[in-house]
Amino acid sequence: MKLFLIVWVLLMPGAAWPGVIILGSVHGDAAGEIKRLLPLAGYLGRRLQSEGISQGKVVVAKSVSQMATYMREGKVDLYIDSPFPSLAVSRLSGSRFLLRRWKKGVAEYHSVIFVKKDSDLRRLEDLKGKTLAFERPSSSSGYFFPKIALLQEGLKLVPKTEPTEPVGPEEVGYVFSFSDENIMVWVLRGKVIAGSTDNERYREQARQRLDGLQIIYRTFSFPRHIVSHRADLPADVVAGVKEVLIKMDQSEEGRKVLREFERTTKFDELPGAASSQLLETRRFVDVEIGLR
Amino acid sequence: MKLSIRVKLIGFTFCLVLLVGGSIALYSVFQGRRQILTTFENDSRGVTALLAAAMANDLYFLDVRSLHRRLESARVNPDISYTYVMDLDGTVLADGTVENALRDQRLTDPFTRETLRADGWITRTEEKLLKIGGPILMPDGQHIGHLQLGFALQPAFQLVHDATGAILYLTVFCLAVGVVLAMMIATSFTRPLLSLMAALQEIRVGRLGTRLSVKRSDEFGVVGESINQMAEALQKDHEEITRVGESLRESEGRLRFLLETTNAIPWEADARSWRFTYVGPQAVNLLGYPLERWREEDFWRSHLHPDDREYAAEFCLKSSRSLKDYDFEYRMITADGRAVWIHDVVSVVSVNGEPETLRGFMVDITRRKQAEFEAARQRAEVAHIGRVSTAGELAASMAHELNQPLGAILSNAEAAEMFLNQEPPALGEVREILADIRKDDQRAGDVIHRMRALLRRHEMETELLDINGLAEEAVKLVYADAVLRRTELSVGLASGLPPVKGDRVHLQQVLLNLILNGMEAMATIPPGQRELVVRTEQGENGTVKIAVSDSGPGIPPDKLPKLFEPFFTTKKEGLGMGLSIARTIVEAHRGQIWAKSNSGVGATFYVTLPASKEHAA
């Protein structure tokens, strides 16, 4: 009951709370997400006292746009998510990337587009007139980056409601499977001609059928998760946060909190190359979020 | 081992409760187990079918993620051990685990193969698993895959176990309650029963004042009340019996006193050995022997008078065998050698048709017998006097009757003498004459013999007599007299009459008396009208009747009642003893004699004598 009151309070944010560092997240399960992020928020609150911070709180938004609004209004100080939603929030609110998060030991990953080995498809162009499966619209590795790759190849992507829906010869149809496993099963069973997921899940889902699959395209590598901060967060606080997060894996307390936060390995500096490549995708992001 | 009714009742109730409770428990366990397993199976099938229906759409769209989630949700149910959703070939799409490790694996176990062939839901119990498998169908019936769920039977078995335990505990509890109730019921039943028994035992040993305290209104109350009423009735009866017993004892005392102080000596003897088992104390005075001697074996028979021993023993034996009461007379010899006449009245007690016991009274009739003998002697004397008188009356006729042969003898003797004097003597004539003389002599001798027989002193001797012969002899005796009296004497004898038992002389005397009286009665009427008829005929009630009718003036009615009294006579010279003697003789023969005037002239005297069942000698 107490937890729900807290959630309710945090879900109804007003202005920024003085002395409080607020972590934001986009998720359908607000309570679960708060439970997941609250140790990290508390840790930050305790560690940022020198910056006038004495407390850490969590705010969960229902969508990227809502999160962008919260950050723009100063109701969320920090936002941790995969590259595509982080880019979208950044484009909508002006938030800035701060650090890279190693999630479950993975610092960065990339997307793959795969087909069955016994198919004739070997290039992205071969997908014309076919339908492939993405994971979900908010997925970085399962949708956004492979889609960018396809678009950059000059292919015309057309959304379909069913894999069996006809596709024009110059088009590439796509459907959302909403599951990496679905994508793998659909490709293996021929429901779709190709699928896209990240490199880790590809191996995970292919299992012993790996030999029967063929990757026809790999995207560039991008950070697993990105920590962003609102644009108007004071620089000392940003610096303080950066220092605390980067040093988290160096203390027992910090490692404990990291483990509790989805087995996060550590936070580190966002590599420069990765930042550049992410920035190059801005126009695609703008299209996706309707800014263009 | 004798068990009390309480123990039996408890045992019976316990056995009954055990039998019924045990049967119900076993039945409940069996049914409960079956019901639980059936319900579990039905519920599991329902869950499986429901899940299959929910998964149809996901399977159709190959939404493995949704399938996985649905199975994952299903596996929240702790009863579900495994879940497989398979395509038409039996390749697993999702197994509900986090890893979904079996995805893309084709299952080939027997149940899966059976599932793939099945049109509907099938079940199989393997070890502790209930496997349910069947097709997943689209609403239009399109077969798109298979679902297989494994349900752990442990919860069902646990439920069965729990239910069985509960039933057994309940049964044991019920049995315990049943036993307690049985004991209570048994106590409730036996307590009044024991009270009843105690009261009955008290009453049985004679404590008739015993009463039950009846506080119940049920059957025991009724029985208790009945016992009280019975005890009260018994008490009254006992008092009455006591009173009657005392009265009986008094009465018995009086009776015994009477019995043992009268001349009748009561006795009881064994019917086979004739050994006395009881003899009244008067018996001591009867024969002079102590009572102990009376009870010796063969006492009665050995002390019979030798002349009566054979008769009395045989009579007793035959009469006893007939099982009818009887009486007889015999003589016994006293201790001092005297003969004592006994009239013994005997009652025969039989068992199974055989004489068992003889009871009776012995009466000393010696004096009576002596009186009877004296009376008989006197009667014989009187009869003799009568006969002498009769002979006197017949003297003239007999003299006349003797004259004829005597005259013939004389004339024949003279004739014989004459023939002997001839030369040569006519011996042939003499010889014929001598033969005639012998015949006449015999005739005269017969007359004299009859007279002598009539006049002889005689004591009554009984023999079987032909009453017709008796009548003919009497008529012969008076025939000559009848001729002198110019009386027509006729005889009408019936044939086939039975013999009578009596004294020939005495009965002849009676007939002579009646015939002579009749002829005398006709003295006053003209000789041509004098008729006397002697008739014999069958009498009534087994008797033989003799009638002597005359044609005289008859007997005045006023004299009829006195006719047979002694010294009553209508004759000038008569003593008035003839008819009195006749009545005495007839009655001594258990017969009757009476007279009545004829409707025409004269009178008739009748004599009836009992016919003997023996044949005449």
Side-chain angles (χ1 to χ4, degrees):
Chain A
M1 189 68 188
K2 187 176 178 181
L3 183 62
F4 282 106
L5 285 173
I6 294 169
V7 170
W8 180 80
V9 168
L10 295 179
L11 285 176
M12 299 298 289
W17 293 47
V20 176
I21 185 76
I22 302 172
L23 265 62
S25 178
V26 177
H27 209 282
D29 178 16
E33 194 66 5
I34 290 169
K35 190 177 179 183
R36 215 165 25 245
L37 285 173
L38 204 53
L40 179 62
Y43 181 82
L44 285 172
R46 290 193 295 278
R47 297 287 171 173
L48 294 173
Q49 290 180 356
S50 58
E51 280 73 33
I53 304 298
S54 61
Q55 201 173 358
K57 290 187 181 300
V58 177
V59 169
V60 179
K62 292 177 181 175
S63 63
V64 168
S65 59
Q66 190 179 33
M67 176 53 69
T69 304
Y70 287 166
M71 293 197 81
R72 198 168 49 241
E73 294 173 353
K75 294 175 180 173
V76 170
D77 300 318
L78 300 173
Y79 170 54
I80 304 174
D81 211 332
S82 61
F84 172 58
S86 297
L87 279 168
V89 171
S90 174
R91 296 300 296 168
L92 291 170
S93 67
S95 60
R96 294 169 185 174
F97 296 168
L98 180 63
L99 292 170
R100 181 174 65 179
R101 174 193 173 205
W102 290 49
K103 185 180 179 183
K104 297 178 183 176
V106 177
E108 52 186 30
Y109 61 145
H110 61 268
S111 296
V112 297
I113 296 174
F114 62 95
V115 298
K116 285 174 75 176
K117 193 174 276 184
D118 57 1
S119 73
D120 298 332
L121 302 179
R122 290 294 179 267
R123 299 176 303 163
L124 292 180
E125 285 181 352
D126 296 336
L127 292 173
K128 283 183 179 175
K130 308 286 190 306
T131 300
L132 83 161
F134 292 126
E135 188 196 355
R136 70 181 75 231
S138 60
S139 174
S140 301
S141 57
Y143 171 63
F144 182 65
F145 291 116
K147 183 181 179 182
I148 291 173
L150 290 168
L151 292 174
Q152 286 175 337
E153 282 292 322
L155 297 174
K156 183 182 180 183
L157 289 173
V158 180
K160 301 293 181 184
T161 54
E162 286 292 329
T164 53
E165 201 174 331
V167 181
E170 294 302 321
E171 298 174 346
V172 176
Y174 68 90
V175 293
F176 291 109
S177 72
F178 297 97
S179 162
D180 297 323
E181 194 168 23
N182 278 352
I183 291 171
M184 183 58 69
V185 171
W186 289 6
V187 171
L188 287 172
R189 291 175 175 269
K191 186 173 180 178
V192 292
I193 197 70
S196 176
T197 183
D198 66 68
N199 57 323
E200 290 299 323
R201 288 183 183 172
Y202 170 72
R203 287 184 173 280
E204 184 182 313
Q205 295 299 336
R207 301 178 188 171
Q208 64 268 36
R209 306 288 293 274
L210 193 61
D211 294 342
L213 296 172
Q214 174 75 50
I215 295 174
I216 60 173
Y217 184 79
R218 293 176 190 271
T219 64
F220 64 91
S221 292
F222 38 85
R224 185 68 184 87
H225 261 197
I226 296 171
V227 180
S228 308
H229 64 86
R230 61 180 167 93
D232 52 352
L233 188 68
D236 53 339
V237 174
V238 171
V241 169
K242 188 175 182 177
E243 185 181 0
V244 169
L245 290 179
I246 286 174
K247 291 181 177 176
M248 270 189 80
D249 63 326
Q250 296 171 14
S251 68
E252 186 59 35
E253 184 189 3
R255 284 195 293 274
K256 182 174 180 295
V257 173
L258 287 173
R259 279 197 300 275
E260 290 174 354
F261 181 41
E262 293 182 314
R263 289 190 288 138
T264 300
T265 307
K266 63 178 182 179
F267 294 94
D268 63 358
E269 291 285 355
L270 196 61
S275 297
S276 303
Q277 286 172 324
L278 289 175
L279 288 174
E280 286 177 6
T281 63
R282 281 178 301 181
R283 60 188 180 91
F284 296 104
V285 173
D286 291 346
V287 172
E288 285 298 320
I289 62 178
L291 291 179
R292 277 190 196 176
Chain B
M1 184 171 65
K2 190 176 180 181
L3 299 175
S4 69
I5 192 168
R6 183 170 183 269
V7 174
K8 287 179 183 174
L9 198 56
I10 292 172
F12 173 75
T13 310
F14 178 75
C15 290
L16 190 66
V17 169
L18 186 64
L19 181 67
V20 174
S23 301
I24 292 172
L26 287 176
Y27 181 76
S28 300
V29 167
F30 173 75
Q31 283 294 340
R33 176 188 169 85
R34 199 174 72 169
Q35 186 68 32
I36 288 169
L37 293 178
T38 303
T39 304
F40 183 81
E41 182 177 330
N42 290 339
D43 289 350
S44 300
R45 287 173 78 112
V47 168
T48 308
L50 198 66
L51 187 61
M55 295 174 80
N57 201 52
D58 296 334
L59 181 60
Y60 181 80
F61 289 112
L62 260 180
D63 189 347
V64 178
R65 175 171 163 271
S66 292
L67 291 173
H68 181 78
R69 284 185 178 174
R70 288 189 187 280
L71 294 183
E72 204 172 36
S73 300
R75 285 173 64 95
V76 172
N77 183 343
D79 294 347
I80 298 176
S81 295
Y82 71 85
T83 54
Y84 304 141
V85 60
M86 299 170 285
D87 61 12
L88 291 172
D89 298 329
T91 302
V92 175
L93 292 169
D95 61 12
T97 62
V98 176
E99 300 80 11
N100 200 15
L102 291 178
R103 199 197 72 208
D104 294 332
Q105 288 191 24
R106 188 168 184 178
L107 301 180
T108 57
D109 62 283
F111 184 68
T112 301
R113 288 203 298 272
E114 197 176 342
T115 301
L116 297 179
R117 291 193 298 271
D119 294 330
W121 295 105
I122 60 171
T123 59
R124 178 180 294 177
T125 303
E126 292 181 0
E127 294 182 350
K128 294 182 178 178
L129 270 182
L130 173 68
K131 294 182 173 181
I132 301 177
I136 299 175
L137 305 174
M138 289 299 288
D140 61 357
Q142 182 187 354
H143 191 173
I144 58 174
H146 299 92
L147 179 63
Q148 189 183 137
L149 265 63
F151 291 87
L153 285 169
Q154 178 59 26
F157 287 156
Q158 185 63 42
L159 201 59
V160 170
H161 178 267
D162 294 345
T164 303
I167 289 169
L168 290 179
Y169 283 132
L170 190 62
T171 303
V172 170
F173 175 74
C174 289
L175 281 176
V177 171
V179 169
V180 172
L181 284 176
M183 293 175 72
M184 291 171 65
I185 291 169
T187 304
S188 170
F189 272 96
T190 53
R191 186 180 294 155
L193 199 58
L194 291 174
S195 299
L196 295 177
M197 282 177 59
L200 285 173
Q201 284 178 342
E202 289 287 308
I203 292 170
R204 191 184 66 178
V205 298
R207 298 191 185 95
L208 300 179
T210 304
R211 295 291 183 273
L212 283 162
S213 175
V214 179
K215 297 175 181 174
R216 304 168 67 121
S217 58
D218 56 5
E219 289 81 353
F220 282 116
V222 173
V223 172
E225 192 61 42
S226 299
I227 287 174
N228 282 346
Q229 291 173 358
M230 181 190 74
E232 197 164 338
L234 279 174
Q235 194 172 22
K236 286 181 180 175
D237 288 349
H238 182 260
E239 290 169 1
E240 181 67 15
I241 287 169
T242 305
R243 190 183 60 75
V244 170
E246 288 173 359
S247 175
L248 276 176
R249 275 192 291 278
E250 289 176 9
S251 176
E252 185 186 359
R254 282 197 298 273
L255 189 61
R256 181 177 289 275
F257 175 77
L258 288 173
L259 277 175
E260 296 180 351
T261 54
T262 58
N263 288 331
I265 303 168
W267 60 268
E268 184 182 78
D270 183 81
R272 287 177 287 274
S273 65
W274 293 342
R275 185 173 186 170
F276 288 110
T277 52
Y278 169 77
V279 184
Q282 310 96 308
V284 175
N285 297 327
L286 181 66
L287 298 185
Y289 291 108
L291 290 177
E292 294 77 28
R293 290 292 307 280
W294 278 82
R295 296 194 188 102
E296 289 177 356
E297 194 166 351
D298 207 29
F299 178 85
W300 178 73
R301 184 185 170 89
S302 63
H303 286 81
L304 286 171
H305 191 283
D307 293 345
D308 295 347
R309 186 170 295 153
E310 187 177 352
Y311 146 74
E314 187 175 359
F315 185 83
C316 181
L317 185 65
K318 286 184 178 178
S319 301
S320 298
R321 283 177 179 167
S322 72
L323 303 181
K324 293 177 181 174
D325 296 346
Y326 59 94
D327 66 304
F328 63 130
E329 294 176 354
Y330 53 84
R331 284 169 291 175
M332 294 187 80
I333 303 300
T334 63
D336 54 7
R338 287 181 294 109
V340 178
W341 275 96
I342 306 288
H343 181 208
D344 211 345
V345 181
V346 183
S347 175
V348 182
V349 178
S350 64
V351 175
N352 297 328
E354 291 292 325
E356 180 77 12
T357 305
L358 302 177
R359 293 194 187 103
F361 290 94
M362 288 188 292
V363 180
D364 183 353
I365 58 169
T366 305
R367 286 186 179 179
R368 196 194 83 197
K369 275 291 183 183
Q370 287 172 346
E372 285 177 2
F373 291 145
E374 182 61 22
R377 191 189 64 77
Q378 290 176 358
R379 186 169 60 243
E381 193 68 28
V382 171
H384 181 250
I385 293 169
R387 285 196 301 277
V388 170
S389 175
T390 303
E393 290 181 33
L394 295 172
S397 62
M398 285 194 177
H400 175 73
E401 196 171 0
L402 280 173
N403 272 339
Q404 194 175 3
L406 287 174
I409 290 169
L410 182 58
S411 60
N412 281 332
E414 288 173 350
E417 190 175 12
M418 185 181 70
F419 284 119
L420 284 174
N421 290 331
Q422 289 179 355
E423 280 298 331
L427 294 177
E429 291 293 335
V430 172
R431 196 172 289 119
E432 289 180 2
I433 289 170
L434 287 175
D436 290 339
I437 289 172
R438 185 180 294 118
K439 288 178 184 176
D440 288 335
D441 184 70
Q442 283 177 342
R443 200 191 323 163
D446 288 343
V447 172
I448 292 168
H449 176 74
R450 286 197 295 270
M451 189 57 73
R452 285 179 63 191
L454 192 65
L455 292 173
R456 191 181 61 200
R457 283 183 182 277
H458 177 76
E459 289 187 0
M460 199 168 84
E461 294 176 356
T462 57
E463 59 182 314
L464 287 176
L465 299 173
D466 174 13
I467 205 70
N468 286 342
L470 200 68
E472 284 176 338
E473 282 184 19
V475 169
K476 282 181 182 176
L477 274 172
V478 297
Y479 183 76
D481 197 45
V483 171
L484 289 176
R485 293 177 189 264
R486 301 177 68 182
T487 301
E488 187 177 339
L489 184 59
S490 58
V491 178
L493 303 175
S495 61
L497 293 177
V500 296
K501 200 169 187 179
D503 185 283
R504 178 185 295 275
V505 173
H506 285 189
L507 290 176
Q508 197 176 60
Q509 183 180 350
V510 172
L511 283 177
L512 287 173
N513 188 271
L514 295 178
I515 293 169
L516 291 173
N517 277 350
M519 288 195 293
E520 284 180 6
M522 292 184 292
T524 57
I525 65 170
Q529 296 176 7
R530 296 171 187 168
E531 293 179 0
L532 192 137
V533 181
V534 178
R535 294 191 310 274
T536 61
E537 60 186 71
Q538 181 76 50
E540 295 175 350
N541 299 321
T543 60
V544 176
K545 183 190 280 184
I546 304 167
V548 178
S549 304
D550 65 61
S551 57
I555 304 167
D558 60 321
K559 293 183 178 174
L560 278 175
K562 299 179 180 177
L563 210 54
F564 296 95
E565 290 181 2
F567 308 112
F568 178 80
T569 182
T570 57
K571 293 182 290 187
K572 292 178 181 176
E573 295 86 7
L575 293 174
M577 291 299 291
L579 287 176
S580 174
I581 292 170
R583 189 181 70 174
T584 304
I585 292 171
V586 170
E587 289 180 349
H589 284 78
R590 290 185 294 147
Q592 288 180 316
I593 186 169
W594 72 96
K596 69 178 182 180
S597 292
N598 297 334
S599 58
V601 292
T604 301
F605 282 77
Y606 297 96
V607 173
T608 59
L609 295 168
S612 172
K613 293 177 181 175
E614 302 176 35
H615 294 290

